[in-house]
Amino acid sequence: MAEKHNRKRTFIQAGWGILSNAYVRGFLPGGPAIYTGPLKRFCVPGMNCYSCPGALGACPIGAMQAVFDGRQRKFSFYVVGYLSAIGFLAGRFVCGWLCLFGLIQELLYKIPVPKIKVPEKADHILRYLKYVMLSVFVFLLPFFFRSELNTGYPFFCKYVCPVGTLEGGIPLVLLNPLMRQSLGWLFRWKFFILILCIIASMTTYRPFCKYICPLGAFYSLFQNASLVRMRLDEDACVHCGICASKCGMNVNPSLRPNSMECIRCGECINACPKHALSFGIKEIKPEKGELKGELS
Amino acid sequence: MNKRRVPTVVTYFLLAAAIAFCAFGAVRGETDIVLKKAVNICMECIGLG
């Protein structure tokens, strides 16, 4: 059952990743470098660099930074509204089911190398880093600095994001000799972050999602309010701890079924021998057990 | 243990507000900025700019 669920989730993650990067011509030598059609007005829900040769949509984090403009006091209503709507609907569900970079990290974690358990205290502190990324690199700095295209300066994309290096930088550099000639310190820096991220992903479950991802940080703010949520049947739960042991994000669903760290992958639902956990829709009157651990 | 819960009606209201935000942003031309950014290779994103 758990295997079947894992396969289904991997299939959906991979399918979505392929669908949102389906511009095949971008990958052909001599073809257009990236897709430039009208679909790029729309953001995909997960992290997906819009400079990937196959990308059909825009990256929400890149798009958010682009629209911010402190001089004109311009707030990114379009992207913030879009992401908030997804957050109010399903919280971090996108992280668990529709993020290609999340899938890549999960596959890397399956490589049989010794796994590292980050000490609880360090893990707890590092989790706040993604909120720093969101507030400083995505919201604050792009608000005050402009790029050459007269859009908000993409600080997170430029100095941190390994997704752009993996999905955009490496394919474009491999396909374009001219770009290869202009590699400098920034590419080396971003390549270093990517390698670090790959090594960390082999030893720790989804480290980018846990500690760095500003999109995950944004969606996590809605976990407590989202319509789609985890339900715990307190009468059925025997607190055996199996769900917590299966959770790669180090959440204990029997205590905090709607923790901000939960990516709603559903692994715990399948692991529970008593079927105490399930996905549900928020109802007007809270059901028994639904109140438990709403915030964490 | 925290027992706070955002009421469902508030969630629906905020969801409607989020959709309104999105529509307002689209109407005032933010999708054009997104398009302009997304159809040009983002040199910063790929580590060349």
Side-chain angles (χ1 to χ4, degrees), chain A:
Chain A
M1 175 110 172
E3 270 303 306
K4 195 176 166 190
H5 171 81
N6 280 343
R7 273 203 301 274
K8 184 173 88 177
R9 195 165 70 86
T10 305
F11 180 77
I12 291 172
Q13 286 171 300
W16 179 257
I18 292 168
L19 197 69
S20 43
N21 293 285
Y23 186 64
V24 181
R25 287 179 67 197
F27 293 106
L28 301 176
I34 58 169
Y35 169 71
T36 55
L39 286 176
K40 282 248 171 114
R41 279 181 190 278
F42 305 104
C43 297
V44 291
M47 291 290 280
N48 198 113
C49 185
Y50 39 34
S51 290
C52 169
L56 289 174
C59 167
I61 290 297
M64 202 190 299
Q65 293 169 90
V67 178
F68 283 138
D69 187 346
R71 281 183 303 184
Q72 294 180 33
R73 295 199 178 89
K74 203 165 190 177
F75 182 73
S76 187
F77 286 100
Y78 169 56
V79 186
V80 171
Y82 167 76
L83 294 179
S84 302
I86 294 174
F88 282 124
L89 277 174
R92 288 187 77 176
F93 186 84
V94 167
C95 304
W97 292 82
L98 297 176
C99 181
L100 180 60
F101 199 64
L103 170 64
I104 292 168
Q105 289 173 85
E106 285 180 16
L107 295 176
L108 287 167
Y109 190 66
K110 288 184 178 174
I111 296 173
V113 295
K115 307 300 175 193
I116 295 172
K117 185 169 170 29
V118 179
E120 204 170 312
K121 200 168 181 182
D123 176 75
H124 186 75
I125 294 167
L126 283 169
R127 301 257 179 175
Y128 287 102
L129 191 57
K130 59 180 176 289
Y131 298 101
V132 175
M133 291 293 165
L134 176 68
S135 53
V136 177
F137 283 79
V138 177
F139 276 88
L140 198 64
L141 292 174
F143 204 76
F144 295 108
F145 297 91
R146 310 299 293 163
S147 73
E148 284 172 7
L149 285 170
N150 197 29
T151 56
Y153 203 83
F155 276 89
F156 179 78
C157 302
K158 180 168 181 174
Y159 296 109
V160 183
C161 188
V163 185
T165 318
L166 180 69
E167 295 178 1
I170 293 174
L172 284 173
V173 161
L174 289 175
L175 288 166
N176 298 281
L178 271 176
M179 284 191 183
R180 277 201 291 278
Q181 290 168 13
S182 42
L183 299 182
W185 69 269
L186 183 61
F187 190 84
R188 284 194 288 276
W189 165 248
K190 292 203 68 180
F191 194 74
F192 168 73
I193 292 180
L194 175 63
I195 297 295
L196 210 62
C197 195
I198 289 172
I199 295 169
S201 300
M202 287 193 283
T203 57
T204 308
Y205 184 78
R206 293 180 75 145
F208 179 78
C209 311
K210 279 179 185 165
Y211 307 128
I212 308 290
C213 184
L215 189 56
F218 191 89
Y219 284 142
S220 77
L221 302 174
F222 301 89
Q223 288 279 92
N224 187 40
S226 69
L227 292 176
V228 174
R229 57 210 296 102
M230 295 288 290
R231 283 230 177 88
L232 172 70
D233 182 346
E234 281 190 275
D235 293 332
C237 179
V238 292
H239 296 280
C240 60
I242 292 176
C243 54
S245 70
K246 288 282 178 189
C247 180
M249 297 300 284
N250 305 71
V251 171
N252 186 344
S254 68
L255 295 177
R256 292 169 177 160
N258 288 295
S259 159
M260 290 170 85
E261 295 300 325
C262 170
I263 56 171
R264 293 183 172 163
C265 64
E267 300 282 326
C268 54
I269 295 173
N270 286 286
C272 181
K274 299 291 180 186
H275 308 291
L277 289 158
S278 61
F279 282 127
I281 303 289
K282 194 176 191 181
E283 290 171 10
I284 300 291
K285 192 179 171 190
E287 287 188 349
K288 192 181 177 188
E290 201 188 335
L291 290 174
K292 197 165 189 178
E294 289 289 342
L295 294 174
S296 62

Side-chain angles (χ1 to χ4, degrees), chain A residues 33-34 36-37 40-41 50-51 58 66-67 74-78 81 84-85 88 149 151 157-158 164 168-169 179 182-183 186-187 190 224-225 227 282-284 286 290-292 294-295, chain B residues 1-12 14-15 17-19 21-26 28-49:
Chain A
I34 58 169
T36 55
K40 282 248 171 114
R41 279 181 190 278
Y50 39 34
S51 290
V67 178
K74 203 165 190 177
F75 182 73
S76 187
F77 286 100
Y78 169 56
S84 302
F88 282 124
L149 285 170
T151 56
C157 302
K158 180 168 181 174
M179 284 191 183
S182 42
L183 299 182
L186 183 61
F187 190 84
K190 292 203 68 180
N224 187 40
L227 292 176
K282 194 176 191 181
E283 290 171 10
I284 300 291
E290 201 188 335
L291 290 174
K292 197 165 189 178
E294 289 289 342
L295 294 174
Chain B
M1 186 172 291
N2 201 322
K3 295 276 183 186
R4 276 190 294 161
R5 176 189 190 265
V6 177
T8 309
V9 282
V10 174
T11 299
Y12 278 111
L14 292 173
L15 176 62
I19 294 168
F21 258 49
C22 189
F24 173 69
R28 73 172 193 163
E30 289 177 19
T31 58
D32 295 336
I33 303 171
V34 172
L35 182 69
K36 184 170 90 170
K37 181 71 183 168
V39 298
N40 290 286
I41 293 176
C42 173
M43 294 308 220
E44 297 94 344
C45 307
I46 64 171
L48 295 180

